[in-house]
Coordinates of all heavy atoms in Angstrom, one line a residue:
M799 N 53.3 55.4 -180.4 CA 53.5 55.8 -179.0 C 53.4 57.3 -178.8 O 53.9 58.0 -179.7 CB 54.9 55.3 -178.5 CG 55.0 53.8 -178.3 SD 56.6 53.3 -177.7 CE 57.5 53.1 -179.3
Q800 N 52.9 57.7 -177.7 CA 52.7 59.1 -177.5 C 53.8 59.6 -176.6 O 54.2 59.0 -175.6 CB 51.3 59.3 -176.8 CG 51.0 60.7 -176.6 CD 49.6 60.9 -176.0 OE1 49.0 59.9 -175.6 NE2 49.1 62.1 -175.9
V801 N 54.3 60.8 -176.9 CA 55.3 61.5 -176.0 C 54.5 62.3 -175.0 O 53.6 63.0 -175.3 CB 56.2 62.4 -176.9 CG1 57.1 63.2 -176.0 CG2 56.9 61.6 -177.9
A802 N 54.9 62.2 -173.7 CA 54.2 62.9 -172.6 C 55.2 63.7 -171.8 O 56.4 63.4 -171.8 CB 53.5 61.9 -171.7
K803 N 54.7 64.7 -171.2 CA 55.6 65.5 -170.3 C 55.7 64.8 -169.0 O 54.8 64.2 -168.4 CB 54.9 66.9 -170.1 CG 55.6 67.9 -169.3 CD 56.4 68.8 -170.2 CE 57.0 69.9 -169.4 NZ 58.3 70.1 -169.6
W804 N 57.0 64.7 -168.5 CA 57.3 64.1 -167.2 C 58.3 65.0 -166.5 O 59.4 65.0 -166.7 CB 57.9 62.7 -167.4 CG 58.0 61.9 -166.2 CD1 57.7 62.2 -164.9 CD2 58.5 60.6 -166.1 NE1 57.9 61.2 -164.0 CE2 58.5 60.2 -164.7 CE3 59.0 59.7 -167.0 CZ2 58.9 58.9 -164.3 CZ3 59.5 58.5 -166.6 CH2 59.4 58.1 -165.3
G805 N 57.7 65.9 -165.6 CA 58.6 66.9 -164.9 C 59.1 67.9 -166.0 O 58.3 68.4 -166.8
N806 N 60.4 68.1 -166.1 CA 61.0 68.9 -167.1 C 61.4 68.2 -168.3 O 62.1 68.7 -169.2 CB 62.2 69.7 -166.5 CG 61.8 70.7 -165.4 OD1 60.7 71.3 -165.5 ND2 62.7 70.9 -164.5
S807 N 61.1 66.9 -168.3 CA 61.5 66.0 -169.4 C 60.3 65.5 -170.2 O 59.2 65.8 -169.9 CB 62.3 64.8 -168.9 OG 63.4 65.2 -168.1
L808 N 60.6 64.7 -171.3 CA 59.6 64.1 -172.0 C 59.8 62.6 -171.8 O 60.9 62.1 -171.6 CB 59.7 64.4 -173.5 CG 59.5 65.9 -173.9 CD1 59.7 66.1 -175.4 CD2 58.1 66.3 -173.5
A809 N 58.7 61.8 -171.9 CA 58.7 60.4 -171.7 C 57.9 59.7 -172.7 O 56.9 60.2 -173.3 CB 58.2 60.1 -170.3
V810 N 58.3 58.4 -173.0 CA 57.5 57.6 -173.9 C 57.2 56.3 -173.1 O 58.1 55.7 -172.5 CB 58.3 57.2 -175.2 CG1 57.6 56.2 -176.0 CG2 58.7 58.5 -176.0
R811 N 56.0 55.9 -173.1 CA 55.6 54.6 -172.4 C 55.8 53.5 -173.4 O 55.3 53.5 -174.5 CB 54.1 54.7 -172.0 CG 53.8 53.6 -171.1 CD 52.4 53.8 -170.6 NE 52.3 55.0 -169.7 CZ 51.5 55.2 -168.8 NH1 50.5 54.3 -168.5 NH2 51.5 56.3 -168.1
L812 N 56.5 52.5 -173.0 CA 56.8 51.3 -173.9 C 55.7 50.3 -173.9 O 55.2 50.0 -172.8 CB 58.1 50.6 -173.5 CG 59.4 51.5 -173.4 CD1 60.5 50.7 -172.9 CD2 59.7 52.0 -174.8
P813 N 55.3 49.8 -175.0 CA 54.2 48.8 -175.1 C 54.6 47.5 -174.4 O 55.8 47.2 -174.4 CB 53.9 48.6 -176.6 CG 54.7 49.7 -177.3 CD 55.7 50.2 -176.4
K814 N 53.6 46.8 -173.8 CA 53.9 45.6 -173.1 C 54.6 44.6 -174.0 O 55.5 43.9 -173.5 CB 52.6 45.0 -172.6 CG 52.8 43.7 -171.8 CD 51.6 43.3 -171.0 CE 51.7 42.0 -170.3 NZ 53.0 41.5 -170.0
K815 N 54.2 44.5 -175.3 CA 54.9 43.5 -176.1 C 56.4 43.8 -176.3 O 57.2 42.8 -176.2 CB 54.2 43.5 -177.5 CG 54.9 42.5 -178.5 CD 54.0 42.0 -179.6 CE 54.6 41.1 -180.6 NZ 55.6 40.2 -180.2
L816 N 56.7 45.0 -176.4 CA 58.1 45.4 -176.6 C 58.9 45.1 -175.2 O 60.0 44.5 -175.3 CB 58.3 46.9 -176.9 CG 59.7 47.4 -177.0 CD1 60.5 46.8 -178.1 CD2 59.7 48.9 -177.2
V817 N 58.3 45.4 -174.1 CA 58.9 45.2 -172.8 C 59.1 43.7 -172.6 O 60.2 43.2 -172.2 CB 57.9 45.7 -171.7 CG1 58.4 45.2 -170.3 CG2 57.9 47.2 -171.8
D818 N 58.1 42.9 -173.0 CA 58.2 41.4 -172.9 C 59.3 40.9 -173.8 O 60.1 40.0 -173.4 CB 56.9 40.7 -173.2 CG 55.9 41.0 -172.1 OD1 56.3 41.4 -171.0 OD2 54.7 40.8 -172.3
D819 N 59.3 41.4 -175.1 CA 60.3 40.9 -176.1 C 61.7 41.2 -175.7 O 62.6 40.4 -175.9 CB 60.0 41.5 -177.4 CG 58.8 40.9 -178.1 OD1 58.2 39.9 -177.6 OD2 58.3 41.5 -179.1
M820 N 61.9 42.3 -175.0 CA 63.3 42.7 -174.6 C 63.6 42.3 -173.1 O 64.7 42.6 -172.6 CB 63.4 44.3 -174.7 CG 63.3 44.8 -176.1 SD 63.5 46.6 -176.2 CE 65.2 46.8 -175.7
S821 N 62.7 41.6 -172.5 CA 62.8 41.2 -171.1 C 63.2 42.3 -170.2 O 64.1 42.2 -169.3 CB 63.9 40.1 -171.0 OG 63.5 39.0 -171.8
L822 N 62.5 43.4 -170.3 CA 62.7 44.6 -169.5 C 62.0 44.5 -168.2 O 60.9 44.0 -168.1 CB 62.3 45.9 -170.2 CG 63.1 46.3 -171.5 CD1 62.5 47.5 -172.2 CD2 64.5 46.6 -171.1
H823 N 62.6 45.1 -167.1 CA 62.0 45.2 -165.8 C 62.2 46.6 -165.3 O 63.1 47.3 -165.7 CB 62.6 44.1 -164.9 CG 62.4 42.7 -165.3 ND1 63.3 42.1 -166.1 CD2 61.4 41.8 -165.2 CE1 62.9 40.9 -166.4 NE2 61.8 40.7 -165.8
A824 N 61.4 46.9 -164.3 CA 61.5 48.3 -163.7 C 63.0 48.4 -163.1 O 63.5 47.4 -162.5 CB 60.5 48.4 -162.5
G825 N 63.6 49.5 -163.4 CA 65.0 49.7 -163.0 C 66.1 49.3 -164.0 O 67.2 49.7 -163.8
D826 N 65.7 48.6 -165.0 CA 66.6 48.3 -166.1 C 67.1 49.6 -166.8 O 66.3 50.6 -166.8 CB 66.0 47.4 -167.2 CG 66.0 45.9 -166.7 OD1 66.6 45.6 -165.6 OD2 65.3 45.1 -167.3
T827 N 68.2 49.6 -167.4 CA 68.7 50.7 -168.2 C 68.7 50.3 -169.7 O 69.0 49.2 -170.1 CB 70.2 51.0 -167.8 OG1 70.2 51.3 -166.4 CG2 70.7 52.2 -168.6
V828 N 68.2 51.3 -170.5 CA 68.1 51.1 -171.9 C 69.0 52.1 -172.6 O 69.2 53.2 -172.0 CB 66.7 51.1 -172.5 CG1 65.8 50.0 -172.0 CG2 66.0 52.4 -172.2
E829 N 69.5 51.8 -173.8 CA 70.3 52.8 -174.5 C 69.5 53.1 -175.8 O 68.9 52.2 -176.4 CB 71.6 52.1 -175.0 CG 72.5 51.8 -173.8 CD 73.7 51.0 -174.3 OE1 73.7 50.3 -175.3 OE2 74.7 51.0 -173.5
I830 N 69.4 54.4 -176.0 CA 68.6 54.9 -177.2 C 69.6 55.6 -178.1 O 70.3 56.5 -177.6 CB 67.4 55.8 -176.8 CG1 66.5 55.0 -175.9 CG2 66.7 56.3 -178.0 CD1 65.3 55.8 -175.4
V831 N 69.7 55.2 -179.4 CA 70.6 55.8 -180.3 C 69.9 56.3 -181.5 O 69.0 55.6 -182.0 CB 71.7 54.7 -180.7 CG1 72.7 55.3 -181.7 CG2 72.4 54.1 -179.5
Q832 N 70.3 57.5 -182.0 CA 69.7 58.0 -183.2 C 70.3 57.4 -184.4 O 71.5 57.4 -184.5 CB 69.8 59.5 -183.2 CG 69.1 60.2 -184.4 CD 69.2 61.7 -184.4 OE1 69.8 62.3 -183.5 NE2 68.6 62.3 -185.4
T833 N 69.5 56.7 -185.2 CA 70.1 55.9 -186.3 C 69.9 56.6 -187.6 O 70.3 56.2 -188.7 CB 69.5 54.5 -186.4 OG1 68.1 54.7 -186.5 CG2 69.8 53.7 -185.2
G834 N 69.2 57.7 -187.6 CA 68.9 58.5 -188.8 C 68.0 59.7 -188.5 O 67.6 59.8 -187.3
K835 N 67.8 60.5 -189.4 CA 66.9 61.7 -189.1 C 65.5 61.2 -188.8 O 64.8 60.5 -189.6 CB 66.8 62.5 -190.4 CG 66.1 63.9 -190.1 CD 66.2 64.8 -191.3 CE 65.4 66.0 -191.2 NZ 66.0 67.0 -190.4
G836 N 65.1 61.4 -187.5 CA 63.8 61.0 -187.1 C 63.7 59.5 -186.7 O 62.6 59.0 -186.5
R837 N 64.8 58.8 -186.7 CA 64.8 57.3 -186.4 C 65.6 57.1 -185.1 O 66.7 57.6 -185.0 CB 65.4 56.5 -187.5 CG 64.9 56.8 -188.9 CD 63.6 56.2 -189.3 NE 63.6 54.7 -189.2 CZ 62.5 54.0 -189.1 NH1 61.3 54.6 -189.2 NH2 62.6 52.7 -189.1
L838 N 65.1 56.2 -184.2 CA 65.8 55.8 -183.0 C 65.9 54.3 -182.9 O 65.0 53.6 -183.5 CB 65.1 56.3 -181.8 CG 64.9 57.8 -181.6 CD1 64.0 58.1 -180.4 CD2 66.2 58.5 -181.5
E839 N 66.9 53.8 -182.2 CA 67.1 52.4 -182.0 C 67.2 52.3 -180.5 O 68.0 53.0 -179.8 CB 68.3 51.9 -182.7 CG 68.5 50.4 -182.5 CD 69.7 49.9 -183.3 OE1 69.7 50.1 -184.6 OE2 70.6 49.3 -182.7
I840 N 66.5 51.3 -179.9 CA 66.5 51.1 -178.5 C 67.1 49.7 -178.2 O 66.8 48.7 -178.9 CB 65.1 51.2 -177.8 CG1 65.2 51.1 -176.3 CG2 64.1 50.3 -178.5 CD1 63.9 51.4 -175.6
G841 N 67.9 49.6 -177.2 CA 68.5 48.3 -176.7 C 68.6 48.3 -175.2 O 68.8 49.3 -174.6
K842 N 68.6 47.1 -174.7 CA 68.8 46.9 -173.2 C 70.3 47.0 -172.9 O 71.1 46.3 -173.6 CB 68.2 45.6 -172.8 CG 68.2 45.4 -171.3 CD 67.5 44.1 -171.0 CE 67.6 43.8 -169.5 NZ 66.9 42.5 -169.1
A843 N 70.6 47.9 -172.0 CA 72.1 48.0 -171.7 C 72.5 46.9 -170.8 O 71.7 46.5 -169.8 CB 72.3 49.3 -170.9
D844 N 73.6 46.3 -171.0 CA 74.2 45.2 -170.2 C 75.1 45.8 -169.2 O 76.3 45.9 -169.4 CB 74.9 44.2 -171.1 CG 75.3 42.9 -170.4 OD1 75.1 42.9 -169.1 OD2 75.8 42.0 -171.0
Q845 N 74.5 46.2 -168.1 CA 75.3 46.9 -167.0 C 76.4 45.9 -166.4 O 77.5 46.4 -166.1 CB 74.4 47.4 -165.9 CG 73.5 48.5 -166.4 CD 72.6 49.0 -165.4 OE1 72.0 48.3 -164.7 NE2 72.6 50.3 -165.2
R846 N 76.1 44.7 -166.3 CA 77.1 43.7 -165.8 C 78.3 43.7 -166.7 O 79.5 43.8 -166.2 CB 76.5 42.3 -165.6 CG 77.4 41.3 -165.0 CD 76.7 40.0 -164.9 NE 77.5 39.0 -164.3 CZ 78.4 38.3 -165.0 NH1 78.5 38.4 -166.3 NH2 79.2 37.4 -164.4
A847 N 78.1 43.6 -168.0 CA 79.3 43.5 -168.9 C 80.1 44.8 -168.9 O 81.3 44.8 -168.9 CB 78.8 43.2 -170.3
A848 N 79.4 45.9 -168.8 CA 80.0 47.2 -168.8 C 80.9 47.4 -167.5 O 82.0 47.9 -167.5 CB 79.0 48.4 -168.8
F849 N 80.3 46.9 -166.4 CA 81.1 47.0 -165.1 C 82.4 46.1 -165.2 O 83.4 46.5 -164.8 CB 80.2 46.5 -163.9 CG 81.0 46.3 -162.7 CD1 81.3 47.4 -161.9 CD2 81.3 45.0 -162.2 CE1 82.0 47.2 -160.7 CE2 82.0 44.9 -161.0 CZ 82.4 46.0 -160.3
L850 N 82.2 44.9 -165.7 CA 83.4 44.0 -165.8 C 84.4 44.6 -166.8 O 85.6 44.5 -166.5 CB 82.9 42.6 -166.3 CG 82.1 41.8 -165.3 CD1 81.6 40.5 -166.0 CD2 82.9 41.5 -164.1
D851 N 84.0 45.3 -167.8 CA 85.0 45.9 -168.7 C 85.7 47.0 -168.0 O 86.9 47.2 -168.2 CB 84.3 46.5 -170.0 CG 83.9 45.4 -171.0 OD1 84.5 44.3 -170.9 OD2 83.0 45.7 -171.8
R852 N 85.0 47.8 -167.2 CA 85.6 48.9 -166.4 C 86.6 48.3 -165.4 O 87.7 48.9 -165.2 CB 84.6 49.8 -165.7 CG 83.8 50.6 -166.7 CD 83.0 51.7 -166.0 NE 82.2 51.2 -164.9 CZ 80.9 50.8 -165.0 NH1 80.3 50.9 -166.2 NH2 80.2 50.4 -164.0
M853 N 86.3 47.2 -164.8 CA 87.2 46.6 -163.8 C 88.5 46.0 -164.4 O 89.5 45.9 -163.7 CB 86.4 45.5 -163.0 CG 85.3 46.0 -162.2 SD 85.9 47.3 -161.0 CE 86.9 46.3 -159.9
K854 N 88.5 45.7 -165.7 CA 89.7 45.1 -166.3 C 90.9 46.0 -166.3 O 92.0 45.6 -166.2 CB 89.4 44.7 -167.8 CG 88.5 43.5 -167.9 CD 88.2 43.2 -169.4 CE 87.3 42.0 -169.5 NZ 86.9 41.8 -170.9
K855 N 90.6 47.3 -166.2 CA 91.8 48.3 -166.2 C 92.6 48.2 -164.9 O 93.7 48.6 -164.9 CB 91.3 49.7 -166.5 CG 90.5 50.3 -165.4 CD 90.1 51.7 -165.7 CE 89.4 52.4 -164.6 NZ 89.0 53.7 -164.9
Y856 N 92.0 47.7 -163.9 CA 92.7 47.6 -162.6 C 93.6 46.4 -162.5 O 94.7 46.5 -161.9 CB 91.7 47.6 -161.4 CG 90.9 48.8 -161.3 CD1 89.6 48.9 -161.7 CD2 91.5 50.0 -160.8 CE1 88.9 50.1 -161.6 CE2 90.9 51.2 -160.7 CZ 89.5 51.2 -161.1 OH 88.9 52.4 -161.0
D857 N 93.3 45.3 -163.2 CA 94.2 44.1 -163.3 C 94.9 43.8 -162.0 O 96.1 43.8 -161.9 CB 95.2 44.3 -164.4 CG 95.9 43.0 -164.8 OD1 95.2 41.9 -164.6 OD2 97.0 43.0 -165.3
W858 N 94.1 43.6 -160.9 CA 94.7 43.3 -159.6 C 95.2 41.9 -159.6 O 94.6 40.9 -160.0 CB 93.6 43.4 -158.5 CG 93.2 44.9 -158.3 CD1 94.0 46.0 -158.2 CD2 91.8 45.3 -158.0 NE1 93.2 47.1 -158.0 CE2 91.9 46.7 -157.9 CE3 90.6 44.7 -158.0 CZ2 90.8 47.5 -157.6 CZ3 89.5 45.5 -157.7 CH2 89.6 46.8 -157.5
A859 N 96.4 41.8 -159.0 CA 97.0 40.4 -158.9 C 96.7 39.9 -157.5 O 96.8 40.6 -156.5 CB 98.5 40.5 -159.1
V860 N 96.4 38.7 -157.4 CA 96.1 38.0 -156.1 C 97.4 37.3 -155.7 O 98.1 36.6 -156.5 CB 95.0 37.0 -156.3 CG1 94.7 36.3 -155.0 CG2 93.7 37.7 -156.8
P861 N 97.8 37.5 -154.4 CA 99.0 36.9 -154.0 C 98.9 35.3 -154.1 O 97.9 34.8 -154.0 CB 99.1 37.2 -152.5 CG 98.2 38.4 -152.3 CD 97.2 38.3 -153.4
P862 N 100.1 34.7 -154.4 CA 100.1 33.2 -154.5 C 99.5 32.5 -153.3 O 99.9 32.9 -152.1 CB 101.5 32.9 -154.7 CG 102.2 34.1 -155.1 CD 101.4 35.2 -154.6
G863 N 98.7 31.6 -153.4 CA 98.1 30.8 -152.3 C 97.0 31.6 -151.6 O 96.5 31.0 -150.6
Y864 N 96.6 32.7 -152.0 CA 95.5 33.5 -151.3 C 94.2 32.8 -151.5 O 93.9 32.3 -152.6 CB 95.4 34.9 -151.9 CG 94.3 35.7 -151.3 CD1 94.4 36.3 -150.1 CD2 93.1 35.8 -152.0 CE1 93.3 37.0 -149.5 CE2 92.0 36.5 -151.5 CZ 92.1 37.1 -150.2 OH 91.1 37.8 -149.7
K865 N 93.4 32.7 -150.4 CA 92.1 32.1 -150.5 C 91.2 33.0 -149.7 O 91.4 33.4 -148.6 CB 92.1 30.7 -149.9 CG 90.7 30.0 -150.0 CD 90.8 28.6 -149.6 CE 89.6 27.8 -150.0 NZ 88.5 27.7 -149.2
F866 N 90.1 33.5 -150.4 CA 89.1 34.4 -149.8 C 88.3 33.6 -148.7 O 87.8 32.5 -149.0 CB 88.2 35.0 -150.8 CG 87.1 35.8 -150.2 CD1 87.4 37.1 -149.8 CD2 85.8 35.4 -150.1 CE1 86.5 37.9 -149.2 CE2 84.9 36.2 -149.6 CZ 85.2 37.5 -149.1
D867 N 88.3 34.2 -147.5 CA 87.5 33.6 -146.4 C 86.4 34.6 -146.1 O 86.6 35.6 -145.5 CB 88.4 33.4 -145.2 CG 87.7 32.7 -144.1 OD1 86.4 32.7 -144.0 OD2 88.4 32.1 -143.2
R868 N 85.1 34.2 -146.5 CA 84.0 35.1 -146.3 C 83.8 35.4 -144.8 O 83.5 36.5 -144.4 CB 82.7 34.5 -146.9 CG 81.5 35.4 -146.8 CD 80.3 34.7 -147.5 NE 80.6 34.4 -148.9 CZ 80.5 35.2 -149.9 NH1 80.2 36.5 -149.7 NH2 80.8 34.8 -151.1
D869 N 83.9 34.4 -143.9 CA 83.7 34.6 -142.5 C 84.7 35.6 -141.9 O 84.4 36.5 -141.1 CB 83.8 33.3 -141.7 CG 82.6 32.3 -142.1 OD1 81.5 32.8 -142.4 OD2 82.8 31.1 -142.1
E870 N 86.0 35.5 -142.3 CA 87.0 36.4 -141.9 C 86.7 37.8 -142.3 O 86.8 38.8 -141.6 CB 88.4 36.0 -142.4 CG 89.5 36.9 -142.0 CD 90.8 36.6 -142.6 OE1 90.9 35.5 -143.2 OE2 91.7 37.5 -142.6
A871 N 86.3 38.0 -143.6 CA 85.9 39.3 -144.1 C 84.8 39.9 -143.4 O 84.8 41.1 -143.2 CB 85.6 39.2 -145.6
N872 N 83.8 39.1 -143.0 CA 82.6 39.7 -142.3 C 82.9 40.0 -140.8 O 82.2 40.7 -140.2 CB 81.5 38.7 -142.3 CG 80.9 38.6 -143.7 OD1 80.9 39.6 -144.4 ND2 80.3 37.5 -144.1
E873 N 84.0 39.5 -140.2 CA 84.4 39.8 -138.9 C 85.0 41.2 -138.7 O 84.9 41.8 -137.7 CB 85.5 38.8 -138.4 CG 85.0 37.4 -138.1 CD 86.1 36.5 -137.7 OE1 87.2 36.9 -137.6 OE2 85.7 35.3 -137.5
R874 N 85.5 41.8 -139.8 CA 86.1 43.1 -139.8 C 85.1 44.2 -139.5 O 84.0 44.2 -139.7 CB 86.8 43.4 -141.1 CG 88.0 42.5 -141.3 CD 88.7 42.9 -142.5 NE 89.2 41.6 -143.1 CZ 89.6 41.5 -144.3 NH1 89.5 42.4 -145.2 NH2 90.1 40.3 -144.7

């Protein structure tokens, strides 16, 4: 893969086979980690799981008998 200039940054274009194998789509987030001198590892970031992990710290309790009413919420 060739490194190219993109604004003030550098970019690498991912080959179609890699994109297909990783099920990547435009807008997805990937994580790149240096695994050794001159070696990188790429992985698709699971943003949904990361969000749920961040939300666990709030541990909101729902009042007993509470039922969410979508229509009532949309009236506000």
Side-chain angles (χ1 to χ4, degrees):
M799 289 182 270
Q800 183 178 9
V801 177
K803 185 94 168 130
W804 190 0
N806 291 330
S807 302
L808 297 177
V810 175
R811 192 175 294 207
L812 301 174
K814 181 168 178 19
K815 177 155 178 37
L816 177 63
V817 170
D818 291 342
D819 289 348
M820 294 181 68
S821 300
L822 292 173
H823 299 91
D826 284 349
T827 301
V828 294
E829 296 172 336
I830 300 175
V831 179
Q832 186 174 1
T833 58
K835 187 173 174 83
R837 310 278 303 162
L838 300 174
E839 184 176 304
I840 183 172
K842 185 175 180 179
D844 188 352
Q845 293 179 312
R846 182 177 178 275
F849 171 76
L850 292 174
D851 284 342
R852 287 193 308 269
M853 291 304 294
K854 285 179 186 176
K855 72 178 179 181
Y856 294 106
D857 193 27
W858 291 319
V860 178
Y864 175 80
K865 184 170 192 269
F866 177 74
D867 184 341
R868 185 177 304 278
D869 292 330
E870 178 187 348
N872 286 331
E873 288 175 3
R874 296 182 211 159

